[in-house]
Amino acid sequence: MFPHDGQSRARGLALKQTAAIARATLVEAIQQPVAFLILLSAVMTTLLVPVFQFHRFGEDGRLARDSGLACMLVFGLVLAAGTAGRTVSGEITCGTAAAALGKPVRRVTFLLAKALGVLAVTMLFWLGVLCATLLAERGSAHFISHIEYTGYVMDVITLVLGVAGVAVALLVAAARHYYGRRRFGVSAFVGVVLSQVLVVLATGFYNRLGQLYPLLGEAACLDSGADHAHAAGWVFYHPELNLRVIPVALLVLFALAIFAALATALATRLPTGPTLAICAGVLLLGLAGDSLLIGAPFWSVRGLVAGLLPDLQNFWLCDAVARGGRIAWRYVGAAALYALTCCVLFLGAGCLAFRERDLG
Amino acid sequence: MPASKSPVIETRGLRKVFRDFWRRPTVEAVKGLDLTINDGEVFGLLGPNGSGKSTTIKMLLGLLRPTAGTIRVLDSAPDDTHAKACIGYLPEVSHLHTFLTPRETLMYYASLFGLSRAQAVQRTRELLAMVDLEHAADRAVGGFSKGMARRVGLAQALVNAPRLLILDEPTSGLDPIGSREVKDLVCALAKGGVTVLMTSHLLADVEDVCDRVAILDRGVLCAEGKIADLLRQPDAVRFEVEGLDEPDAAAVRAELEARTGRRVRQEYPAMSLERYFLQVVAQDGQQRTFAMAPFLGATLSAPETAPTPTSNSLPMT
């Protein structure tokens, strides 16, 4: 029945352990009130930007998009680093890491599983904020030319649905907690993400004027770029979302993955506070990496800093999608490889640091 | 325990020096410890606070790196995962994920041992019944009392049906019934061939269940051996007689004093408070059930009758 009977194979066991530890990390992280507050802040800030922005000069969508992506990066950094700090450093301090490593779990397996758990939290957060960003961009004022209306119009329905989705998710989480004794934090976190995904899917059923599909020809045509393509016949489902944001958001996710790996590695030796501070420093220096390198010899302090730190400018390409621009998927693939390399290096260093760590 | 049995734990010249952030030595917790624990033994590690008991246990589990010396656990290095698959460990403080329920906690630890879901579910059900936590199986551990958390900790230590069980202060935080149950469980496991290493501040607990003990003080092994050998008073003999009335007792005493020319002390032994408590609880009409009893294959050792008041104990000095 048990592994020491010789029925278990090392690889299968390691995978099972990785899944169990990563899952526990994910559940622990998202049931923390602070994780939910970070998600809620990022989603609500993103959704409300189109409502409160002034003097827009026709750049409403861009402002909403850039704000959403900035929220994704900054709040995501805090979430990834904070979760890693709490789940690794906190568990070393409180003894749950020792309890797990008293079982047949290798330290490398434990740390990689923790990193995967942190990454899973970050991806859930990312998905929620990505959807909120898509909704915010669609909801912000756009110039349309239609048989019934010409001029700037805000898609209030989409924004209201986005905010209402958050409210419903909270109510459902509260009801599950009250009646089913389910964890509020987990239900609320997953619920908010799910609500944004559902609203994104629902936007395909109506246009910016609030008219329900199917609509025929001219009636369906809102003069906003690509929407012309649908004017020829019946339109049944058209989300009118700027899907060019997805590659940009993927790049931000890669940056967050790097921070998750860095924070996990740091947390093997440092408490959460210093881990967060170092990650914030790496963010600032990483974004300034290109400027640091300009005119700097290779063997100089500036060159060394720029060489050692991940160049985060590679992952911040909001401007590339302005005015109809696109990011090539090939670039996204290259960025993914770069991010993967950074993650492997950071986690490798983390494994070395954790290997000799005394677990009291 | 037969001395010919193979050693399950063996340390030679084990040292541990803790260092600060700058790698400066702060304290030497264990100083050259030589220890051998044989297969099937119940071994007690005793010592005051800071004597190095928990540090030794953590080194045995590979959680702390020894500064010097060698460790063999189940004929392997301490961080060997194959050996660890056969070890159950109850830490000094039940380090549990506070957001998990006991059921989830046991499922989590079962998955760390590679049990299939069906096996894990079955084992979890058995262990929850054993530690009497079925009624609280779906409440978060964070809201538990220390004793309840201890029971969860004990259950997780047994999730893999270990060959070697390491218990750091196992009765800490438990009520007398729980404490008695744990001690009986240890005895039952030992009968089944499980080797047990336990530490405790409660010396009576160790005395009740251990075959051999070692006493550590400031990291140094001060004494080691079978409890009976360590506690024997070679210059004293004790007789116990049941049903001896007062005149006979006086006559025996006088005869012994006359024969030996030494003073003979006559006592009426009292039961221990633990024994009395268990007896009261067992007789209070509530028919209290002992949760672990079915798993031990016998009723627990709550006394059925009070000791006879005519028992005499005659230590002769």
Side-chain angles (χ1 to χ4, degrees):
Chain A
M1 175 177 178
F2 297 104
H4 52 80
D5 293 333
Q7 292 178 6
S8 161
R9 292 185 179 172
R11 193 174 297 168
L13 179 61
L15 283 176
K16 196 172 255 188
Q17 291 168 340
T18 304
I21 296 169
R23 183 179 174 278
T25 304
L26 171 66
V27 174
E28 182 183 18
I30 63 177
Q31 62 104 41
Q32 297 293 331
V34 67
F36 170 66
L37 286 176
I38 288 172
L39 173 71
L40 192 65
S41 306
V43 167
M44 292 306 290
T45 306
T46 304
L47 287 174
L48 293 177
V49 160
V51 179
F52 294 112
Q53 59 192 5
F54 300 101
H55 307 297
R56 303 166 290 210
F57 304 110
E59 294 277 23
D60 303 55
R62 181 179 176 176
L63 278 172
R65 184 175 67 233
D66 289 358
S67 300
L69 291 169
C71 283
M72 190 185 282
L73 181 63
V74 176
F75 285 102
L77 166 68
V78 175
L79 181 68
T83 303
R86 185 184 156 74
T87 194
V88 178
S89 162
E91 285 203 18
I92 290 172
T93 307
C94 80
T96 44
L101 289 165
K103 312 299 180 207
V105 179
R106 291 180 194 281
R107 291 190 178 212
V108 172
T109 306
F110 180 81
L111 195 67
L112 293 183
K114 285 287 171 195
L116 276 180
V118 175
L119 190 60
V121 178
T122 310
M123 285 177 75
L124 262 181
F125 165 86
W126 172 84
L127 181 61
V129 181
L130 169 65
C131 291
T133 305
L134 291 171
L135 296 176
E137 186 173 359
R138 170 168 161 152
S140 54
H142 279 70
F143 184 83
I144 61 171
S145 174
H146 191 253
I147 49 177
E148 293 174 4
Y149 180 84
T150 298
Y152 281 94
V153 64
M154 273 183 74
D155 185 354
V156 179
I157 294 176
T158 295
L159 295 177
V160 168
L161 279 179
V163 174
V166 172
V168 170
L170 291 179
L171 286 174
V172 170
R176 279 168 61 85
H177 180 63
Y178 185 80
Y179 294 108
R181 295 184 184 278
R182 301 302 179 100
R183 300 181 186 95
F184 175 80
V186 174
S187 302
F189 196 102
V190 175
V192 168
V193 173
L194 203 59
S195 72
Q196 297 307 294
V197 174
L198 290 176
V199 174
V200 161
L201 295 176
T203 55
F205 293 105
Y206 60 91
N207 66 13
R208 281 202 171 95
L209 292 173
Q211 297 167 323
L212 285 171
Y213 294 124
L215 294 168
L216 180 63
E218 283 292 304
C221 176
L222 297 181
D223 190 15
S224 50
D227 296 335
H228 275 301
H230 299 280
W234 284 95
V235 176
F236 294 92
Y237 183 86
H238 179 48
E240 288 188 65
L241 299 168
N242 182 6
L243 299 181
R244 289 177 292 116
V245 174
I246 291 177
V248 185
L250 269 175
L251 294 175
V252 176
L253 176 65
F254 297 156
L256 293 179
I258 291 175
F259 281 115
L262 173 65
T264 305
L266 289 170
T268 59
R269 292 280 172 176
L270 297 173
T272 307
T275 298
L276 263 171
I278 291 174
C279 285
V282 169
L283 173 70
L284 293 176
L285 287 172
L287 285 173
D290 288 349
S291 318
L292 282 172
L293 267 181
I294 293 172
F298 185 78
W299 293 111
S300 65
V301 174
R302 280 194 296 160
L304 204 63
V305 168
L308 285 177
L309 295 178
D311 187 352
L312 296 178
Q313 283 293 350
N314 293 330
F315 303 103
W316 185 248
L317 297 185
C318 295
D319 295 337
V321 288
R323 286 184 287 280
R326 284 180 185 278
I327 294 179
W329 285 106
R330 199 171 164 186
Y331 179 85
V332 176
L337 272 179
Y338 178 65
L340 186 66
T341 307
C342 291
C343 289
V344 168
L345 287 175
F346 286 139
L347 286 175
C351 287
L352 284 177
F354 192 50
R355 203 176 143 198
E356 296 301 318
R357 176 78 150 90
D358 278 345
L359 301 169
Chain B
M1 287 297 118
S4 60
K5 286 195 171 180
S6 58
V8 169
I9 294 174
E10 200 167 21
T11 70
R12 291 288 172 267
L14 190 63
R15 277 182 71 223
K16 178 64 188 176
V17 178
F18 286 106
R19 298 176 187 278
D20 66 8
F21 182 80
W22 305 106
R23 308 286 300 159
R24 293 173 302 194
T26 51
V27 62
E28 187 171 1
V30 178
K31 300 170 184 169
L33 179 65
D34 295 333
L35 204 62
T36 303
I37 301 172
N38 294 315
D39 197 11
E41 267 189 327
V42 180
F43 192 93
L45 203 52
L46 307 178
N49 291 336
S51 59
K53 304 185 298 291
S54 295
T55 301
T56 302
I57 282 181
K58 284 169 188 166
M59 283 195 285
L60 293 177
L61 289 161
L63 300 175
L64 297 178
R65 305 288 179 193
T67 307
T70 59
I71 304 174
R72 300 294 291 173
V73 180
L74 295 169
D75 220 17
S76 305
D79 52 2
D80 183 276
T81 49
H82 290 100
K84 278 189 182 177
C86 308
I87 300 174
Y89 169 49
L90 172 66
E92 187 178 4
V93 179
S94 304
H95 303 301
L96 301 168
H97 291 283
T98 52
F99 60 94
L100 292 180
T101 65
R103 195 186 305 280
E104 291 168 334
T105 300
L106 296 183
M107 291 292 288
Y108 169 68
Y109 283 111
S111 60
L112 296 188
F113 281 101
L115 268 65
S116 69
R117 183 161 177 81
Q119 289 171 335
V121 168
Q122 184 194 344
R123 188 71 181 151
T124 296
R125 197 183 303 127
E126 289 169 3
L127 289 169
L128 284 172
M130 193 192 82
V131 297
D132 197 18
L133 280 178
E134 285 166 306
H135 63 286
D138 297 311
R139 273 168 49 198
V141 170
F144 279 10
S145 67
K146 192 179 173 189
M148 288 172 80
R150 204 71 188 140
R151 285 168 181 269
V152 181
L154 184 65
Q156 65 79 25
L158 296 170
V159 80
N160 60 327
R163 260 183 65 199
L164 167 63
L165 186 59
I166 298 178
L167 306 171
D168 202 351
E169 303 284 349
T171 55
S172 156
L174 293 177
D175 62 22
I177 294 170
S179 176
R180 184 70 253 171
E181 285 179 335
V182 168
K183 286 189 280 185
D184 285 344
L185 178 70
V186 168
C187 292
L189 289 169
K191 274 184 191 167
V194 176
T195 308
V196 181
L197 166 61
M198 65 180 280
T199 70
S200 182
H201 289 113
L202 304 173
L203 302 183
D205 287 355
V206 175
E207 199 175 345
D208 279 354
V209 297
C210 291
D211 302 315
R212 283 200 304 141
V213 295
I215 299 175
L216 287 178
D217 187 24
R218 296 178 193 180
V220 177
L221 183 65
C222 301
E224 184 193 355
K226 290 187 174 177
I227 289 188
D229 295 342
L230 292 175
L231 301 185
R232 187 166 56 197
Q233 294 176 288
D235 56 344
V237 178
R238 171 183 289 193
F239 298 97
E240 276 199 12
V241 183
E242 285 189 17
L244 197 64
D245 58 20
E246 189 58 38
D248 286 345
V252 169
R253 181 178 171 180
E255 178 66 24
L256 282 172
E257 282 181 338
R259 270 182 177 267
T260 61
R262 297 182 183 190
R263 194 177 69 80
V264 174
R265 190 153 47 89
Q266 179 180 333
E267 308 178 327
Y268 294 89
M271 71 176 86
S272 69
L273 187 58
E274 181 196 22
R275 206 170 156 80
Y276 178 72
F277 179 88
L278 291 172
Q279 181 188 319
V280 169
V281 171
Q283 289 178 347
D284 70 355
Q286 295 175 20
Q287 297 296 316
R288 165 145 191 158
T289 56
F290 291 85
M292 291 186 196
F295 300 91
L296 303 177
T299 52
L300 293 179
S301 52
E304 292 172 0
T305 55
T308 169
T310 53
S311 292
N312 290 349
S313 177
L314 303 172
M316 189 170 69
T317 54

